[in-house]
Amino acid sequence: MSSSTTSSALYATVSSSSRATGAVPKDTDKLRHHNKNGKGFINPWDSYTPDTTPPTVPVQKPQFLPTRETKTLRATWLGHACYYVEFPGGLRVLFDPVFEPRCSPFSFMGPKRYTPCPVDVADIPIIDAVVISHSHYDHLSYPTILKIKEKHPNVHFWAPLGNKAWFTKCGIENMTELDWWESRDFTLSARKQDAETTHTETGSTVNAGGAEDIKAVIGCLPCQHTSARTPFDKSHTLWGSWSVESGGKKIWFGGDTGYRSVPDLPEEENDYDEKHTYPTCPAFKEIGELRGPFDLGLIPIGAYDPRFIMSPMHANPFDSVNIFIDTQCKKALGIHWEDVLEPPRVLKQAMVWKNLPETGVFDTCDIGESREY
């Protein structure tokens, strides 16, 4: 029996509990990120005021585990912000999947991928949850979402507040939207009537009745960004980072975020010079203190030039290392880059700047490559 058939034997439930809620900042109930003057959301912090080479990052064919059996946390980069994470205990999560050639509402125009997509939905054996950081086209792809729903009909989608209506229009009911600092328990279990049925998943045998439930806690957390799918709906839906805990491992997915807004400075001037005191986003320290530490962080490091325009929404590697420290991630992998090779080089410089190892702690990898933790 195919892996998709096996996966379809697991049925997800989402529930609230004291365990899922977790610690929150003292002013959470003020909902400062909700726009008080109308529809939508805002970044509530003071930190949000406002060499290119051909693509050469290697792309390799990813190798996924054929079954749910794994003793380590395994993360595979599928390009841009997309990661496929295999948790000990069996949970399989896909973050910000975009497998189309263009990030656009049109197939014939709009931003085009710098590198070929290393995988198709049909190549991924198990998808239990799809986590979306925000509604921009390079993070939320309509064709990709529909393909996932068709191949994995019991998959559960997660997105920040305000995005449920979009999924409903797509015919997707297995969806949970969360506000910042909200979490839910997520449980995968076999149907009771399957208790005496043996399912075969790519060569392995799993007794549905005897198998333990797969449990996770999935939470939406802040980040500094925005959202839109048209020229008329900017910030109408919330953006967010995410935490996922399952099988004794916990990760933080940064999605797309800025850290501090920097003005237009002379090119030779370092905006991290001591004379500059630009506010930094406080949410990342709150995430680390209240929800950390994390075994692995998936942290954006690219799309940061020109700095004075991009800094409110996109972190450069120096920002990214600060985010890594603030969120209390033990290890990290860079996401949201592939068009230039500068971000990985600058990331090493930023690690040295913070007296951290150049490699082995906060790294980058090839597209399609897997790392284990």
Side-chain angles (χ1 to χ4, degrees):
M1 191 175 292
S2 68
S3 60
S4 61
T5 303
T6 304
S7 180
S8 67
L10 297 177
Y11 289 80
T13 59
V14 179
S15 60
S16 298
S17 74
S18 58
R19 175 173 174 266
T21 301
V24 301
K26 293 180 180 179
D27 63 350
T28 298
D29 59 349
K30 295 181 180 179
L31 300 177
R32 293 169 54 221
H33 56 292
H34 291 232
N35 190 352
K36 302 301 187 297
N37 299 319
K39 181 178 179 181
F41 305 91
I42 62 171
N43 289 290
W45 312 290
D46 292 340
S47 56
Y48 191 81
T49 47
D51 303 328
T52 302
T53 60
T56 54
V57 58
V59 179
Q60 62 189 54
K61 185 71 174 178
Q63 299 294 320
F64 305 116
L65 298 175
T67 73
R68 291 185 183 272
E69 299 298 320
T70 176
K71 295 182 179 180
T72 61
L73 181 69
R74 192 170 185 267
T76 305
W77 189 32
L78 300 181
H80 203 52
C82 182
Y83 254 91
Y84 180 72
V85 179
E86 297 159 299
F87 285 83
L91 183 70
R92 303 294 183 253
V93 182
L94 189 61
F95 294 89
D96 280 5
V98 176
F99 298 152
E100 315 314 312
R102 292 187 184 275
C103 300
S104 165
F106 310 104
S107 60
F108 56 90
M109 63 180 292
K112 192 173 183 180
R113 301 183 72 100
Y114 289 96
T115 55
C117 187
V119 72
D120 192 23
V121 172
D123 301 322
I124 304 177
I126 306 169
I127 305 175
D128 298 313
V130 174
V131 174
I132 302 297
S133 63
H134 64 292
S135 66
H136 285 155
Y137 281 91
D138 58 332
H139 295 257
L140 177 60
S141 165
Y142 174 75
T144 294
I145 294 298
L146 291 189
K147 289 177 184 177
I148 292 172
K149 176 179 178 288
E150 181 179 0
K151 178 69 163 59
H152 303 275
N154 290 325
V155 66
H156 199 92
F157 294 88
W158 302 77
L161 205 61
N163 285 286
K164 189 175 182 62
W166 185 90
F167 283 88
T168 300
K169 288 180 181 179
C170 296
I172 294 171
E173 299 299 330
N174 295 343
M175 191 272 168
T176 297
E177 65 173 11
L178 297 178
D179 201 349
W180 289 350
W181 300 107
E182 289 185 336
S183 299
R184 295 291 184 271
D185 286 330
F186 181 58
T187 304
L188 296 172
S189 58
R191 269 185 169 179
K192 185 176 180 181
Q193 56 263 41
D194 290 338
E196 296 179 359
T197 304
T198 299
H199 296 278
T200 302
E201 179 182 277
T202 60
S204 68
T205 301
V206 179
N207 186 286
E212 294 184 1
D213 290 349
I214 297 173
K215 296 181 178 293
V217 177
I218 299 179
C220 183
L221 295 166
C223 68
Q224 183 170 291
H225 200 58
T226 185
S227 66
R229 289 186 76 78
T230 74
F232 312 105
D233 66 344
K234 183 177 180 180
S235 300
H236 284 197
T237 61
L238 188 58
W239 50 96
S241 62
W242 290 84
S243 64
V244 180
E245 182 177 4
S246 185
K249 294 289 186 179
K250 183 164 58 173
I251 72 168
W252 180 70
F253 174 67
D256 204 351
T257 186
Y259 184 66
R260 57 203 282 273
S261 182
V262 176
D264 191 5
L265 300 173
E267 185 175 349
E268 67 278 4
E269 188 164 339
N270 180 3
D271 59 69
Y272 269 105
D273 188 283
E274 291 183 357
K275 68 181 180 181
H276 298 304
T277 57
Y278 307 122
T280 60
C281 180
F284 301 108
K285 283 190 176 180
E286 293 177 334
I287 290 170
E289 292 168 356
L290 299 174
R291 299 296 174 87
F294 299 94
D295 296 287
L296 178 66
L298 303 174
I299 301 176
I301 65 170
Y304 47 79
D305 282 332
R307 179 78 163 141
F308 74 99
I309 294 175
M310 305 300 282
S311 60
M313 295 182 296
H314 289 171
N316 75 3
F318 289 88
D319 297 329
S320 304
V321 170
N322 278 326
I323 292 171
F324 167 74
I325 294 170
D326 287 353
T327 52
Q328 299 185 28
C329 293
K330 298 175 184 177
K331 298 289 181 69
L333 289 168
I335 65 171
H336 205 271
W337 73 276
E338 69 260 32
D339 54 335
V340 296
L341 292 183
E342 181 184 85
R345 292 196 298 265
V346 179
L347 177 61
K348 291 182 178 181
Q349 297 171 14
M351 292 293 283
V352 172
W353 168 63
K354 285 293 185 179
N355 297 314
L356 295 169
E358 279 192 28
T359 60
V361 176
F362 189 166
D363 294 317
T364 59
C365 66
D366 294 345
I367 295 176
E369 183 180 353
S370 300
R371 298 287 180 92
E372 294 189 8
Y373 300 89

